[in-house]
Each structure stands twice: as C-alpha cells, then as structure tokens.
Amino acid sequence: MSITILYIAAAMTAGLLFNRFAKLISLPNVTGYLVAGLLIGPSVLNLIPKDGAEALNVLVTLALGFIAYSIGGEFNINNIKAIGGKSIIITMFQALTAVGLVDITLCALGFDVPLALTLGAIAAATAPAATLMVVRQYRANGPVTRTLLPVVAMDDAVGLIVFAVSLALAQGMSGGGDMSFYTMVVQPLTEIVLSLAIGGAIGLIASIALRFFHSKDNFLCVSVAAVLLGTALADIWGLSSLLLCMSIGAIVCNLRKDADSIMEGCERWTPPLFMLFFVISGAELDLAAIPTVGMLGVAYLVARSAGKYLGTYIGSGIVHADDNIKKYLGLALLPQAGVAIGMAQVCAAKLPMYSERITTVVLCAALIYELIGPVITKAALVKAGEISPQFAYRRHKAAM
C-alpha cells in the first residue's frame, strides 16, 4: 500500500513539474503530463516500474468514468436544439469519415480487422481542450469558430457510440471461430443498450437523490457516487463504462435545472485525477515498441487527418456552409488526447493481444497531435480571417 501511495506522489510531482514546463514553451498541459509519465515510467527512469503502473490502473478506470460523465453533461437537449442541424450533420460526417478511412486504410495495408476497427473508432475522438485553448487565447470569432465549438462538443459523444460498436465487433472477431449473427450483431447491440439503460437508471436515481441535498459539496458526493457505481457495474457485467457513465451525465444534465452547477463542481474536483490519468498513460508507453508499429502509426495519423478534413468538407458542402468552414474547419479538428487515450486503455483490457500496438499508436499520435494540433488550429483560424495575424503575433510574443 505504501509503495503505491509513493507512486501516486511521484506521478503527481512529475505531472506538476512538466505542466509548468509545457506552459513555458506554450504546449498543452496534456503534452506535459504524457512526457512526464514517459520519463518516470519503465522506458526511461523506471521510477514507476511496470507493476507500479499496473497497480495504478484503478485510477485510470475512475478517470475514464469521469471523462465520460462530463461528456454526457454536454448532451443537454436545449443545447443540442440551439446548435442546429447543420453542426450536427458536419459532426457526423467528419467523425464517421475519419472512422471509415482509418478502417479501410489499415485493412488495405494488411493489418488485422479487429485492430483496424478499434483504431478506426478511436480516430473519431478529438481534444476539445486544445481547441478551446486556441480560441480563447486569440479571441477567435467568426463562422468557423462558431461552428467549431459545437462540433467539438458533440464529437466525443459520437465517437464513444461508434467505439462501443466497433470494440464489440472486434471482440467478436478476435475471440475465435464463432462469427455468428449473435456474436456480430446481438452481443454488441445488447452491450450498448444495457450500458445506456443502466447508466440512465443510475442517472435518474442520482437526479432524484439530488433533490434532497442543497449544498455543492453534497451535489459533488452524489455525482462521485453515481460514477463510481456505474464504473463498478460496467466492470462486473462486462459493459461499456464509457457509454454507461456518459448516459449518467446525460440524464442528470437533462433532469436538473442546476446541471451546470453540478457539472462545474465535479470539474473542480477531477483535475488531480485527470493529471494522474495522463501521467500513468504516458508511463505505459513502451519506447521499444515504437519501431514495431511504424507503418501502423503513420497510416493511422495520415488516414485520420485526411478523414477529418474530407468529412468536414463533404458535410459542410451538404449543408451549404460558408466556404471558409469547408476549407478550414477540418484542420481545427486534428487535436486528440484524453478520450482517445481512454479508449486505448479500454482496448488494452478488452483486446490484450493488440493492447501494446493500440496503446503505442494512440499515445504517440496524441503527443504529435497535441504538439502540432493547436498550431494548425491557430493557422486555420488566421487563414479564415477569424484571428488577426498581427494580434496573434503580439499575443505569441507576449507569452514567450
């Protein structure tokens, strides 16, 4: 027990130090956390050995639950109505095109279908934090920005649903020779429906329970208890913890008028947990495995980036969006981090035969996307005329 606590302390200390370093060179926090984990993990300094990282996996599981819960909190019916049909169509096209293009590319290159399906599903996820950081820092405004924010908000929810379907199919295919209608269709649909239904039931109970409490502290306790219960039941019954916890958040945010306050209280509590999640994920990156997934990693990066851009272009054309949206929105959707890494962690548990390759590809991709994604997002918004080039330059110089 004591050594596990020491590992937690080491992970948090490293995360704080590299968070500061990342800010000094204008990189996202996530990048600093991943690099911190990589350095203190078994691949470099071995301050947290492999068995130590595995001992901290319970924190990873909990963090995934809260990530999904917060995504569900964005699924307020009124917000979706306000977003409008155009943004929803663009979201669907860019997410599904990225999924399909990665699936097709990896299968065409001869990689196993279950591996292609899971990486394809992970390709849908984006990193809203990196995108929002750029928009706020440079006070971007215009058609591209106003479309970008709702698309980013909905994107991960679409990705989680696609991921649940793809992972269930991949499990059925990798489990042996049983490729029946039951394993390919009934089992995946059952897992999805049960995950959403049980999450909805827990969300309903939590919403009712919240009526009997009035302090923000008690609101937080109810939210934490609901996510812990949902995560535990998903693990016990072999369901999708991501979908289940997303469903909890969606029900709570639609049944409670004070949902924003509830979610805000939860967000104030989770930063240390999320920091540990990224540091531990970085510690699990095996540098020796990178050369073995070279072609796989390059294919994933190229196919996902092309899918995001092409899907946005097609979706924008269908809804007759502004030309700048067609040309530049897809470039602003490249950053990828938290949810994608969470999906990779789930794959590591569900598909152990592919865990090393999936984890390595996604973590390396996250590092690359988090390094270049915000830069490309900024450049796209400057090109679209929604950030003044002179203002962007002055802000950059001021931050140095």
Side-chain angles (χ1 to χ4, degrees):
M1 176 66 74
S2 298
I3 193 68
T4 301
I5 295 174
L6 281 175
Y7 290 150
I8 293 173
M12 292 199 71
T13 302
L16 286 168
L17 290 174
F18 278 85
N19 171 42
R20 184 60 184 165
F21 176 72
K23 286 184 176 179
L24 289 175
I25 58 175
S26 301
L27 290 176
N29 293 346
V30 172
T31 306
Y33 297 152
L34 291 173
V35 172
L38 174 62
L39 290 178
I40 66 174
S43 289
V44 184
L45 298 177
N46 201 33
L47 297 179
I48 298 181
K50 187 174 182 180
D51 59 344
E54 291 173 352
L56 300 179
N57 273 342
V58 64
L59 296 176
V60 172
T61 302
L62 291 177
L64 288 174
F66 283 102
I67 289 172
Y69 180 71
S70 64
I71 291 172
E74 300 291 334
F75 254 55
N76 185 286
I77 296 298
N78 294 327
N79 291 343
I80 294 175
K81 288 179 180 178
I83 286 170
K86 289 186 177 181
S87 293
I88 293 173
I89 290 172
I90 293 173
T91 301
M92 297 297 294
F93 267 90
Q94 59 85 23
L96 296 179
T97 303
V99 172
L101 200 55
V102 172
D103 285 346
I104 293 169
T105 301
L106 297 186
C107 287
L109 290 173
F111 293 104
D112 293 348
V113 175
L115 178 62
L117 284 175
T118 49
L119 283 174
I122 292 171
T126 56
T131 302
L132 291 175
M133 179 188 70
V134 173
V135 170
R136 289 172 181 171
Q137 180 177 357
Y138 299 104
R139 300 176 188 174
N141 188 37
V144 178
T145 303
R146 288 193 293 271
T147 307
L148 172 63
L149 297 180
V151 168
V152 167
M154 292 187 294
D155 187 60
D156 284 338
V158 174
L160 286 182
I161 295 171
V162 175
F163 177 74
V165 175
S166 297
L167 181 59
L169 289 172
Q171 284 182 278
M173 292 179 181
S174 61
D178 185 12
M179 298 286 288
S180 64
F181 178 80
Y182 178 78
T183 59
M184 296 295 295
V185 178
V186 177
Q187 276 189 342
L189 287 177
T190 301
E191 178 181 333
I192 293 167
V193 171
L194 285 177
S195 298
L196 292 174
I198 293 172
I202 295 173
L204 177 61
I205 294 170
S207 299
I208 295 172
L210 286 167
R211 297 178 182 176
F212 300 96
F213 301 102
H214 305 287
S215 72
K216 290 185 177 179
D217 290 344
N218 285 328
F219 284 174
L220 174 60
C221 290
V222 172
S223 293
V224 171
V227 174
L228 292 177
L229 176 61
T231 303
L233 291 180
D235 184 58
I236 293 169
W237 291 333
L239 302 175
S240 169
S241 62
L242 293 174
L243 276 184
L244 198 152
C245 292
M246 186 182 78
S247 182
I248 295 174
I251 294 298
V252 170
C253 84
N254 281 286
L255 293 184
R256 296 287 304 184
K257 293 181 179 179
D258 54 354
D260 289 342
S261 176
I262 295 169
M263 293 295 172
E264 183 182 336
C266 199
E267 288 171 4
R268 285 200 299 267
W269 176 82
T270 51
L273 184 61
F274 290 168
M275 176 197 289
L276 286 169
F277 167 72
F278 289 117
V279 173
I280 295 166
S281 296
E284 293 181 345
L285 177 58
D286 184 2
L287 290 178
I290 292 177
T292 67
V293 295
M295 177 58 72
L296 179 63
V298 171
Y300 173 81
L301 284 168
V302 172
R304 178 184 180 269
S305 301
K308 285 286 182 182
Y309 187 84
L310 182 61
T312 302
Y313 194 91
I314 295 172
S316 300
I318 289 174
V319 299
H320 305 293
D322 185 279
D323 281 345
N324 277 345
I325 294 175
K326 291 172 66 175
K327 287 192 269 187
Y328 300 118
L329 180 62
L331 297 174
L333 295 172
L334 295 183
Q336 186 176 50
V339 175
I341 294 171
M343 291 174 176
Q345 295 285 358
V346 172
C347 290
K350 300 278 190 178
L351 297 168
M353 69 289 292
Y354 300 114
S355 63
E356 186 177 89
R357 281 185 285 176
I358 291 172
T359 302
T360 303
V361 167
V362 173
L363 287 177
C364 288
L367 281 171
I368 293 170
Y369 278 129
E370 286 298 286
L371 286 170
I372 68 170
V375 176
I376 294 175
T377 299
K378 173 188 168 185
L381 293 175
V382 170
K383 282 284 189 181
E386 300 185 11
I387 297 176
S388 166
Q390 295 83 5
F391 177 69
Y393 177 75
R394 288 201 303 272
R395 295 283 290 183
H396 177 71
K397 293 295 286 183
M400 291 299 288

